[in-house]
Amino acid sequence: MLEPRRVRAYRTRGTGCPVGRNKTVDDEQLIGVARQVFRTRGHGAGTRDIAQAAGISQAVLYQRFGSKEELFLRAMTPELPDVEALLGAYPPRSARADVRRIAERLVELFVSMMPTLLHVLAHPDLRPSEMHKWHAQLPFAPIAHGLAARFRRMRADGLIAAIDAEAAASALIAVAHSVALLAVLMNEEHEAQRSARLRAMVDVVWSGLAPAAPVRG
């Protein structure tokens, strides 16, 4: 595996001229700095701002990333989550409670991602091909794949009904995404409100997942 590229960063005084070696900065550190700058100042932030925040020159920044747009999309692509941690241990003591807990963890993840995603969606100059490539790097597909596998396992073990696992995964992700988006857009500070909304929506999803009641007699 190739080691991440590193560049020298320098302390500067007044004119911005390098006055001595300070540290090296790898790609991931640069992306982290750029993400913070873009999230604070929006897509209008310049490469000069990012280079200054990272302690490098604009020339070096362009050597590492071909354009501001490339850096913007790299910086605004969330890291892939630990899907196994999102799903939790198996088997669950209660299938219904398990589905609810998964939804809660998804909401927390999506709330943390939402400001970054909204910055990209608000960018006026990105081409559709760039947006498509960026969207393909988002963690929704791995999450959907892992969640569908969980639902297939639960279905095989009789914990949920004989449903379409992929459709069920998409439905639960849509619920979590909707709750997270609303919480961010409304600047929702009350955890109880968000939890109540999520619980009600997950209950609707569960009505389609719940196994048939055993026949008495």
Side-chain angles (χ1 to χ4, degrees):
M1 178 180 296
L2 295 177
E3 295 184 357
R5 293 174 296 175
R6 294 178 177 271
V7 295
R8 294 179 181 179
Y10 298 89
R11 292 190 298 272
T12 59
R13 289 193 193 127
T15 62
C17 298
V19 297
R21 183 174 178 178
N22 183 27
K23 60 180 181 179
T24 57
V25 183
D26 63 27
D27 279 357
E28 291 308 312
Q29 290 173 311
L30 276 179
I31 289 171
V33 170
R35 181 181 299 117
Q36 191 64 36
V37 172
F38 283 129
R39 288 187 63 167
T40 302
R41 306 185 189 182
H43 57 75
T47 53
R48 183 186 300 275
D49 302 317
I50 297 166
Q52 184 176 17
I56 62 174
S57 70
Q58 282 183 281
V60 170
L61 190 65
Y62 278 114
Q63 288 173 3
R64 303 282 290 280
F65 303 95
S67 66
K68 175 184 170 181
E69 287 71 26
E70 178 186 344
L71 176 59
F72 177 77
L73 291 176
R74 286 279 302 276
M76 305 309 266
T77 302
E79 295 181 1
L80 293 178
D82 184 339
V83 176
E84 291 299 321
L86 277 174
L87 298 179
Y90 193 91
R93 297 181 61 183
S94 165
R96 183 173 187 170
D98 188 55
V99 171
R100 184 177 296 152
R101 284 191 295 269
I102 291 172
E104 290 170 350
R105 289 190 287 267
L106 287 174
V107 168
E108 292 301 318
L109 173 66
F110 294 160
V111 165
S112 71
M113 290 169 45
M114 201 61 66
T116 299
L117 303 186
L118 293 177
H119 274 303
V120 177
L121 296 176
H123 197 300
D125 300 323
L126 293 177
R127 296 187 299 272
S129 59
E130 293 174 320
M131 291 289 289
H132 180 77
K133 182 179 179 181
W134 168 76
H135 191 272
Q137 302 301 314
L138 297 180
F140 296 115
I143 292 172
H145 178 77
L147 187 53
R150 166 63 67 95
F151 282 145
R152 283 193 294 270
R153 188 175 183 184
M154 295 173 75
R155 183 181 63 194
D157 291 341
L159 300 178
I160 60 175
I163 46 80
D164 183 317
E166 283 72 21
S170 296
L172 193 64
I173 290 171
V175 164
H177 186 275
S178 175
V179 171
L181 178 60
L182 191 60
V184 171
L185 293 180
M186 295 181 63
N187 195 23
E188 193 172 65
E189 298 180 354
H190 300 292
E191 183 69 26
Q193 293 179 351
R194 188 200 307 176
S195 296
R197 183 181 301 115
L198 179 62
R199 181 183 293 267
M201 296 174 74
V202 171
D203 283 346
V204 173
V205 174
W206 176 254
S207 67
L209 293 174
V215 178
R216 297 182 178 180

